[in-house]
Amino acid sequence: MAGTVALRITSPDGVTRGIELDGETVTIGRRAPEQSPDVALSPDPQRWVGRLHCSLDLVEGVWMVTDNASVNGTLLRSRDTTERLLGRRRVQHGDVILILGDMTPDGEPLYWQLVFLDPHTTQQAPAGALLPPPRPVASLRYDWVSARAYRIVNGVETPVTGLRPQGHQLLRYMVGRSADGAAVACDHAELITALWGAREEWASHRAYTRVDLAGVVRAVRRSIEPDPSAPEILETVKGIGYRLNVCGVS
């Protein structure tokens, strides 16, 4: 794996393997029927690893890690600090993603350790060097009482206009699937059901597909995104569906 971006994965019982990061989205989780993540963490005797536990995304040349509102959480160790991952964070060479996999008889946690390795990482400039400000991160806040959405970019909140009823329905469902500000990847099938109901409820002459869903998503993006051609709030998760980056729910 020399010269490539990779993960060095160590299981709770100490078995180590490596995997190259191929593509722009790498999903991490537990293999299940009709669900096969790019990085499958097994064995998982306690079923503490989520089916889509977290993901790594390449965004404008920078790798980001996102917890998918997993039940048991994701930890990120960066240098000497270990924190629970909420929302999305950048990962750099040597950072370690920790996912609970087992416990000792005495109750000590045993983690899957995924070390991020990037041989081409940019080194930190000397103290005092001028660096450009970080790229603003866009998110959405939804007020359930007033049924209003607000776009937040670099801390500045702007009311969203032009949302149609189905757009509100999509946002309310995806916001409801979020927890503590963590973005959740919702698959195509569940979003189709959220918008048009279960298949058995459809009219006999009508069927709803990903094409119909994509039309609603495009309309929502025209209202909520700073740049609809490069979505940052309602993102596409390749091979899965869509993810909504939220900032608080009221």
Side-chain angles (χ1 to χ4, degrees):
M1 295 185 293
T4 62
V5 179
L7 290 175
R8 185 175 70 240
I9 304 168
T10 304
S11 67
D13 57 2
V15 176
T16 299
R17 61 188 170 101
I19 184 170
E20 297 181 6
L21 300 188
D22 184 17
E24 296 186 351
T25 297
V26 177
T27 56
I28 301 168
R30 169 169 48 87
R31 187 176 287 111
E34 300 182 4
Q35 183 76 49
S36 182
D38 299 314
V39 179
L41 303 182
S42 62
D44 179 26
Q46 309 293 347
R47 295 172 59 86
W48 284 340
V49 179
R51 288 181 293 179
L52 179 57
H53 198 98
C54 61
S55 63
L56 286 160
D57 301 282
L58 184 60
V59 182
E60 295 187 354
V62 175
W63 283 96
M64 312 288 287
V65 60
T66 306
D67 179 80
N68 193 43
S70 60
V71 173
N72 293 303
T74 303
L75 304 180
L76 181 63
R77 179 186 298 153
S78 184
R79 297 188 180 180
D80 298 327
T81 303
T82 301
E83 298 177 312
R84 182 176 181 183
L85 181 63
L86 296 176
R88 168 181 284 187
R89 283 274 300 275
R90 178 180 180 179
V91 287
Q92 302 184 71
H93 180 71
D95 286 354
V96 185
I97 300 167
L98 300 168
I99 297 174
L100 184 65
D102 208 343
M103 281 190 176
T104 67
D106 296 328
E108 291 296 321
L110 300 172
Y111 291 98
W112 287 91
Q113 301 185 45
L114 293 78
V115 182
F116 181 78
L117 303 173
D118 182 3
H120 307 295
T121 187
T122 301
Q123 298 300 313
Q124 186 173 356
L130 294 178
L131 299 176
R135 179 172 174 264
V137 176
S139 59
L140 181 124
R141 181 175 73 83
Y142 195 91
D143 187 326
W144 286 76
V145 176
S146 64
R148 293 181 182 273
Y150 300 85
R151 176 175 58 245
I152 302 173
V153 180
N154 204 22
V156 178
E157 186 172 282
T158 305
V160 169
T161 59
L163 281 173
R164 299 182 66 82
Q166 272 195 325
H168 278 281
Q169 190 174 350
L170 179 70
L171 292 179
R172 289 170 75 90
Y173 178 80
M174 297 185 76
V175 169
R177 288 271 280 111
S178 301
D180 298 324
V184 175
C186 298
D187 64 40
H188 298 100
E190 69 173 298
L191 292 177
I192 289 172
T193 301
L195 290 174
W196 292 287
R199 183 179 299 272
E200 55 268 22
E201 299 174 351
W202 300 348
S204 58
H205 64 280
R206 191 65 171 94
Y208 298 97
T209 68
R210 294 184 184 186
V211 174
D212 299 290
L213 174 60
V216 177
V217 168
R218 282 195 300 272
V220 170
R221 283 172 170 168
R222 286 195 292 270
S223 294
I224 70 173
E225 295 287 353
D227 179 2
S229 66
E232 301 177 71
I233 301 175
L234 181 52
E235 298 179 297
T236 298
V237 182
K238 187 176 180 181
I240 298 172
Y242 299 96
R243 175 170 57 214
L244 182 69
N245 292 313
V246 298
C247 182
V249 181
S250 56

Coordinates of all heavy atoms in Angstrom, one line a residue, residues 13-80:
D13 N -9.4 -8.4 18.7 CA -8.5 -9.4 19.2 C -7.1 -9.3 18.6 O -6.3 -10.3 18.7 CB -9.1 -10.8 18.9 CG -9.4 -11.0 17.4 OD1 -9.1 -10.1 16.6 OD2 -10.0 -12.0 17.1
G14 N -6.8 -8.2 18.0 CA -5.4 -7.9 17.5 C -5.0 -8.3 16.1 O -3.9 -8.2 15.8
V15 N -6.0 -8.8 15.3 CA -5.7 -9.2 13.9 C -5.7 -7.9 13.1 O -6.6 -7.1 13.1 CB -6.7 -10.1 13.4 CG1 -6.4 -10.5 11.9 CG2 -6.7 -11.4 14.2
T16 N -4.6 -7.7 12.3 CA -4.4 -6.5 11.5 C -4.4 -6.8 10.0 O -3.9 -7.8 9.6 CB -3.0 -5.8 11.9 OG1 -3.1 -5.5 13.3 CG2 -2.8 -4.6 11.1
R17 N -5.1 -5.9 9.3 CA -5.1 -6.0 7.8 C -5.1 -4.6 7.3 O -5.3 -3.6 8.1 CB -6.3 -6.7 7.3 CG -7.7 -6.1 7.7 CD -8.8 -7.0 7.4 NE -10.1 -6.6 7.9 CZ -11.0 -5.9 7.2 NH1 -10.8 -5.6 5.9 NH2 -12.2 -5.6 7.8
G18 N -4.9 -4.4 6.0 CA -4.9 -3.1 5.4 C -5.8 -3.1 4.2 O -6.1 -4.1 3.6
I19 N -6.4 -1.9 3.9 CA -7.2 -1.7 2.8 C -7.0 -0.3 2.2 O -6.8 0.7 2.9 CB -8.7 -1.9 3.2 CG1 -9.6 -1.8 1.9 CG2 -9.1 -0.9 4.2 CD1 -11.0 -2.1 2.2
E20 N -6.8 -0.3 0.9 CA -6.7 1.0 0.2 C -8.0 1.7 0.0 O -9.1 1.1 -0.1 CB -6.1 0.8 -1.2 CG -4.7 0.2 -1.2 CD -4.1 0.0 -2.5 OE1 -4.7 0.5 -3.5 OE2 -3.0 -0.5 -2.7
L21 N -8.0 3.0 0.1 CA -9.2 3.8 0.0 C -9.4 4.1 -1.5 O -8.7 4.9 -2.1 CB -9.2 5.1 0.8 CG -9.0 4.9 2.3 CD1 -9.2 6.2 3.0 CD2 -10.0 3.9 2.8
D22 N -10.3 3.4 -2.1 CA -10.6 3.5 -3.6 C -11.9 4.2 -3.8 O -13.0 3.7 -3.4 CB -10.5 2.1 -4.2 CG -10.7 2.1 -5.7 OD1 -10.5 3.2 -6.2 OD2 -11.0 1.1 -6.3
G23 N -11.9 5.3 -4.5 CA -13.2 6.0 -4.7 C -13.3 7.2 -3.8 O -12.4 7.5 -3.0
E24 N -14.5 7.9 -3.9 CA -14.7 9.1 -3.1 C -15.5 8.9 -1.9 O -15.6 9.7 -1.0 CB -15.4 10.1 -4.0 CG -14.5 10.6 -5.2 CD -15.1 11.7 -6.0 OE1 -16.3 12.1 -5.7 OE2 -14.4 12.3 -6.8
T25 N -16.2 7.7 -1.7 CA -16.9 7.4 -0.5 C -16.6 6.0 -0.1 O -16.7 5.0 -1.0 CB -18.4 7.5 -0.8 OG1 -18.7 8.9 -1.0 CG2 -19.2 7.1 0.5
V26 N -16.2 5.8 1.1 CA -15.9 4.4 1.6 C -16.8 4.2 2.9 O -16.7 4.9 3.8 CB -14.4 4.3 2.0 CG1 -14.1 2.9 2.6 CG2 -13.5 4.6 0.8
T27 N -17.7 3.2 2.8 CA -18.6 2.9 3.9 C -18.0 1.9 4.8 O -17.3 1.0 4.4 CB -19.9 2.5 3.4 OG1 -19.8 1.3 2.6 CG2 -20.6 3.5 2.6
I28 N -18.2 2.0 6.1 CA -17.6 1.2 7.2 C -18.8 0.7 8.0 O -19.6 1.4 8.5 CB -16.6 1.9 8.0 CG1 -15.5 2.5 7.2 CG2 -16.1 1.0 9.1 CD1 -14.6 3.5 7.9
G29 N -18.8 -0.7 8.2 CA -19.9 -1.2 9.1 C -19.9 -2.7 9.1 O -18.9 -3.3 8.9
R30 N -21.1 -3.2 9.5 CA -21.3 -4.7 9.6 C -22.0 -5.2 8.4 O -23.0 -4.7 8.0 CB -22.1 -4.9 10.9 CG -22.6 -6.4 11.0 CD -23.1 -6.6 12.5 NE -24.0 -5.6 12.9 CZ -25.3 -5.6 12.7 NH1 -25.9 -6.6 12.0 NH2 -26.1 -4.6 13.2
R31 N -21.5 -6.3 7.9 CA -22.2 -7.0 6.7 C -23.5 -7.6 7.2 O -23.6 -8.2 8.3 CB -21.3 -8.0 6.1 CG -21.9 -8.6 4.8 CD -20.9 -9.6 4.2 NE -19.8 -8.9 3.6 CZ -18.5 -8.9 4.0 NH1 -18.2 -9.7 5.1 NH2 -17.5 -8.3 3.4
A32 N -24.6 -7.4 6.4 CA -25.9 -7.9 6.7 C -26.6 -8.2 5.4 O -26.1 -7.8 4.3 CB -26.7 -6.9 7.5
P33 N -27.7 -8.9 5.4 CA -28.4 -9.2 4.2 C -28.8 -7.9 3.5 O -29.3 -7.0 4.1 CB -29.7 -9.9 4.7 CG -29.3 -10.6 6.0 CD -28.3 -9.6 6.6
E34 N -28.4 -7.9 2.2 CA -28.7 -6.7 1.3 C -27.9 -5.5 1.8 O -28.2 -4.4 1.4 CB -30.2 -6.4 1.2 CG -31.0 -7.6 0.7 CD -32.5 -7.2 0.6 OE1 -32.8 -6.1 0.9 OE2 -33.2 -8.1 0.2
Q35 N -26.9 -5.7 2.6 CA -26.0 -4.5 3.1 C -24.6 -5.0 3.1 O -24.3 -5.8 3.9 CB -26.5 -4.0 4.4 CG -25.7 -2.8 4.9 CD -26.1 -1.6 4.2 OE1 -27.3 -1.3 4.1 NE2 -25.2 -0.8 3.7
S36 N -23.8 -4.5 2.3 CA -22.4 -4.9 2.2 C -21.5 -3.6 2.2 O -21.3 -3.0 1.1 CB -22.1 -5.8 1.0 OG -20.7 -6.2 1.0
P37 N -21.0 -3.2 3.3 CA -20.2 -2.0 3.4 C -18.8 -2.2 2.7 O -18.4 -3.4 2.5 CB -20.0 -1.7 4.9 CG -20.2 -3.0 5.5 CD -21.2 -3.8 4.7
D38 N -18.2 -1.2 2.3 CA -16.9 -1.3 1.6 C -15.8 -1.9 2.6 O -15.0 -2.7 2.2 CB -16.4 0.1 1.1 CG -17.3 0.7 0.1 OD1 -17.7 -0.1 -0.8 OD2 -17.6 1.9 0.2
V39 N -15.9 -1.5 3.9 CA -15.1 -2.1 4.9 C -16.0 -2.8 5.9 O -16.7 -2.1 6.7 CB -14.2 -1.0 5.6 CG1 -13.3 -1.6 6.7 CG2 -13.4 -0.2 4.6
A40 N -16.0 -4.1 5.9 CA -16.8 -4.9 6.8 C -16.0 -5.2 8.0 O -14.9 -5.8 7.9 CB -17.3 -6.1 6.1
L41 N -16.5 -4.9 9.2 CA -15.8 -5.2 10.5 C -16.4 -6.5 11.1 O -17.5 -6.4 11.6 CB -16.0 -4.0 11.5 CG -15.5 -2.6 10.9 CD1 -15.6 -1.6 12.0 CD2 -14.0 -2.7 10.5
S42 N -15.7 -7.5 10.9 CA -16.2 -8.8 11.4 C -15.0 -9.7 11.8 O -13.9 -9.5 11.3 CB -17.0 -9.5 10.3 OG -16.2 -9.8 9.2
P43 N -15.2 -10.6 12.8 CA -16.5 -10.9 13.4 C -17.0 -9.8 14.4 O -16.2 -9.0 14.9 CB -16.2 -12.2 14.2 CG -14.8 -12.1 14.5 CD -14.1 -11.4 13.3
D44 N -18.3 -9.7 14.6 CA -18.9 -8.8 15.5 C -19.9 -9.5 16.3 O -21.1 -9.4 16.1 CB -19.6 -7.7 14.6 CG -20.3 -6.6 15.5 OD1 -19.9 -6.4 16.7 OD2 -21.3 -6.0 15.0
P45 N -19.4 -10.3 17.3 CA -20.3 -11.2 18.1 C -21.4 -10.5 18.9 O -22.5 -11.0 19.1 CB -19.4 -11.9 19.0 CG -18.2 -11.0 19.1 CD -18.0 -10.4 17.8
Q46 N -21.1 -9.2 19.3 CA -22.1 -8.5 20.1 C -23.1 -7.7 19.2 O -24.0 -7.1 19.7 CB -21.4 -7.5 21.0 CG -20.3 -8.2 21.9 CD -20.9 -9.2 22.9 OE1 -22.1 -9.2 23.1 NE2 -20.0 -10.0 23.5
R47 N -22.8 -7.6 17.9 CA -23.6 -6.8 17.0 C -23.6 -5.3 17.4 O -24.7 -4.6 17.4 CB -25.0 -7.3 16.9 CG -25.1 -8.7 16.2 CD -26.5 -9.3 16.3 NE -27.5 -8.5 15.6 CZ -27.8 -8.5 14.3 NH1 -27.1 -9.4 13.6 NH2 -28.7 -7.7 13.8
W48 N -22.4 -4.8 17.8 CA -22.3 -3.4 18.3 C -21.9 -2.5 17.1 O -22.0 -1.3 17.3 CB -21.3 -3.3 19.4 CG -21.9 -3.8 20.7 CD1 -23.2 -4.0 21.1 CD2 -21.1 -4.3 21.9 NE1 -23.3 -4.4 22.3 CE2 -22.1 -4.6 22.9 CE3 -19.8 -4.4 22.2 CZ2 -21.7 -5.1 24.1 CZ3 -19.4 -4.8 23.4 CH2 -20.3 -5.2 24.4
V49 N -21.5 -3.1 16.0 CA -21.1 -2.3 14.9 C -22.4 -2.1 14.0 O -23.1 -3.1 13.7 CB -20.0 -3.0 14.0 CG1 -19.7 -2.2 12.8 CG2 -18.8 -3.2 14.9
G50 N -22.7 -0.9 13.6 CA -23.8 -0.6 12.8 C -23.6 -1.1 11.4 O -22.5 -1.2 10.9
R51 N -24.7 -1.4 10.7 CA -24.6 -1.8 9.3 C -24.0 -0.8 8.4 O -23.2 -1.1 7.6 CB -26.0 -2.2 8.8 CG -26.5 -3.5 9.4 CD -27.9 -3.9 8.8 NE -28.9 -2.9 9.3 CZ -30.2 -3.0 8.9 NH1 -30.6 -4.0 8.1 NH2 -31.1 -2.2 9.3
L52 N -24.3 0.5 8.7 CA -23.6 1.6 8.0 C -23.2 2.5 9.2 O -23.8 3.5 9.5 CB -24.5 2.4 7.1 CG -23.9 3.6 6.4 CD1 -22.6 3.2 5.7 CD2 -24.8 4.2 5.4
H53 N -22.1 2.1 9.8 CA -21.7 2.7 11.1 C -21.1 4.2 10.8 O -21.5 5.1 11.5 CB -20.6 1.9 11.7 CG -20.4 2.2 13.2 ND1 -21.0 1.5 14.2 CD2 -19.7 3.2 13.8 CE1 -20.7 2.0 15.4 NE2 -19.9 3.0 15.2
C54 N -20.2 4.3 9.9 CA -19.7 5.6 9.5 C -19.1 5.5 8.1 O -19.1 4.4 7.5 CB -18.5 6.0 10.5 SG -17.1 4.8 10.6
S55 N -18.7 6.6 7.6 CA -18.2 6.7 6.2 C -17.0 7.7 6.1 O -16.9 8.6 6.9 CB -19.3 7.0 5.2 OG -19.8 8.3 5.5
L56 N -16.2 7.4 5.1 CA -15.1 8.3 4.8 C -15.4 8.9 3.4 O -15.8 8.1 2.5 CB -13.8 7.6 4.7 CG -13.1 7.3 6.1 CD1 -12.1 6.2 6.0 CD2 -12.5 8.5 6.7
D57 N -15.3 10.2 3.3 CA -15.6 10.9 2.0 C -14.5 11.8 1.6 O -13.9 12.5 2.4 CB -16.9 11.7 2.1 CG -18.1 10.9 2.5 OD1 -18.7 10.2 1.7 OD2 -18.5 10.9 3.7
L58 N -14.1 11.7 0.3 CA -13.1 12.6 -0.2 C -13.8 13.9 -0.8 O -14.6 13.8 -1.7 CB -12.3 11.9 -1.4 CG -11.2 12.7 -2.0 CD1 -10.1 13.0 -0.9 CD2 -10.5 11.9 -3.1
V59 N -13.6 15.0 -0.1 CA -14.2 16.3 -0.4 C -13.2 17.3 -0.8 O -12.4 17.8 0.0 CB -15.1 16.8 0.7 CG1 -15.8 18.1 0.3 CG2 -16.1 15.7 1.2
E60 N -13.1 17.6 -2.1 CA -12.2 18.6 -2.6 C -10.7 18.3 -2.1 O -10.0 19.1 -1.7 CB -12.6 20.0 -2.2 CG -13.9 20.4 -2.9 CD -14.2 21.9 -2.6 OE1 -13.5 22.5 -1.9 OE2 -15.2 22.3 -3.2
G61 N -10.4 17.0 -2.3 CA -9.0 16.6 -1.9 C -8.8 16.3 -0.4 O -7.6 16.0 -0.1
V62 N -9.8 16.5 0.4 CA -9.6 16.3 1.8 C -10.5 15.1 2.3 O -11.7 15.1 1.9 CB -10.0 17.6 2.6 CG1 -10.0 17.3 4.1 CG2 -9.1 18.7 2.2
W63 N -10.0 14.2 3.1 CA -10.8 13.1 3.6 C -11.5 13.5 4.8 O -10.9 14.1 5.7 CB -9.9 11.9 3.8 CG -9.5 11.1 2.6 CD1 -8.4 11.3 1.9 CD2 -10.3 10.2 1.9 NE1 -8.4 10.4 0.8 CE2 -9.6 9.7 0.8 CE3 -11.6 9.6 2.1 CZ2 -10.1 8.8 -0.1 CZ3 -12.1 8.6 1.2 CH2 -11.3 8.2 0.1
M64 N -12.8 13.2 4.9 CA -13.7 13.5 6.0 C -14.3 12.2 6.5 O -14.6 11.3 5.7 CB -14.8 14.5 5.6 CG -14.3 15.7 4.8 SD -13.4 16.9 5.8 CE -14.7 17.6 6.8
V65 N -14.5 12.1 7.8 CA -15.2 11.0 8.4 C -16.5 11.5 9.0 O -16.6 12.5 9.7 CB -14.3 10.3 9.5 CG1 -13.9 11.2 10.6 CG2 -15.0 9.0 10.0
T66 N -17.6 10.7 8.8 CA -18.9 11.0 9.3 C -19.5 9.8 10.1 O -19.6 8.7 9.5 CB -19.8 11.5 8.2 OG1 -19.2 12.5 7.4 CG2 -21.2 11.9 8.7
D67 N -19.9 10.0 11.3 CA -20.7 9.0 12.0 C -22.1 9.0 11.5 O -22.7 10.1 11.4 CB -20.6 9.2 13.5 CG -21.4 8.2 14.3 OD1 -20.8 7.1 14.5 OD2 -22.5 8.5 14.7
N68 N -22.7 7.8 11.2 CA -24.0 7.7 10.7 C -25.0 7.6 11.8 O -25.9 6.7 11.8 CB -24.1 6.6 9.7 CG -25.4 6.6 8.9 OD1 -25.8 7.7 8.4 ND2 -26.0 5.5 8.7
A69 N -24.9 8.4 12.8 CA -25.8 8.4 14.0 C -25.9 6.9 14.5 O -26.9 6.4 14.9 CB -27.2 8.8 13.6
S70 N -24.7 6.3 14.6 CA -24.6 4.9 15.1 C -25.1 4.8 16.5 O -24.9 5.7 17.3 CB -23.2 4.4 14.9 OG -22.3 5.2 15.7
V71 N -25.6 3.7 16.9 CA -26.1 3.4 18.3 C -25.0 3.5 19.3 O -25.1 4.2 20.3 CB -26.8 2.1 18.4 CG1 -27.2 1.8 19.8 CG2 -28.0 2.0 17.5
N72 N -23.8 3.0 19.0 CA -22.7 2.9 19.9 C -21.6 4.0 19.7 O -20.6 4.0 20.4 CB -22.1 1.5 19.9 CG -23.1 0.5 20.5 OD1 -23.6 0.6 21.6 ND2 -23.4 -0.5 19.7
G73 N -21.8 4.8 18.7 CA -20.9 5.9 18.5 C -19.6 5.6 17.8 O -19.2 4.4 17.7
T74 N -18.9 6.6 17.3 CA -17.6 6.5 16.7 C -16.7 7.5 17.5 O -17.0 8.6 17.7 CB -17.6 6.8 15.2 OG1 -18.6 6.0 14.6 CG2 -16.3 6.7 14.6
L75 N -15.5 7.0 17.8 CA -14.5 7.9 18.4 C -13.4 8.2 17.4 O -13.1 7.4 16.5 CB -13.8 7.2 19.6 CG -14.8 6.7 20.8 CD1 -14.0 6.0 21.9 CD2 -15.6 7.8 21.3
L76 N -12.8 9.4 17.6 CA -11.7 9.8 16.7 C -10.6 10.2 17.6 O -10.7 11.2 18.4 CB -12.1 10.9 15.8 CG -11.1 11.4 14.8 CD1 -10.7 10.3 13.8 CD2 -11.5 12.7 14.0
R77 N -9.4 9.5 17.4 CA -8.2 9.9 18.1 C -7.3 10.7 17.2 O -6.9 10.1 16.2 CB -7.5 8.6 18.7 CG -6.2 9.0 19.4 CD -5.5 7.7 19.8 NE -6.3 6.9 20.7 CZ -6.2 5.5 20.7 NH1 -5.4 4.9 20.0 NH2 -7.0 4.8 21.6
S78 N -7.0 11.9 17.6 CA -6.2 12.8 16.8 C -5.1 13.3 17.7 O -5.3 14.0 18.6 CB -7.0 13.9 16.2 OG -6.1 14.7 15.3
R79 N -3.8 12.8 17.4 CA -2.7 13.1 18.3 C -3.0 12.6 19.7 O -3.2 11.5 19.9 CB -2.4 14.6 18.2 CG -1.9 15.1 16.8 CD -1.5 16.5 16.8 NE -1.1 16.9 15.5 CZ -0.6 18.1 15.2 NH1 -0.5 19.0 16.1 NH2 -0.3 18.4 13.9
D80 N -3.1 13.5 20.7 CA -3.3 13.1 22.0 C -4.7 13.2 22.5 O -5.0 13.0 23.7 CB -2.3 13.8 23.0 CG -0.9 13.6 22.7 OD1 -0.5 12.5 22.2 OD2 -0.1 14.6 22.8

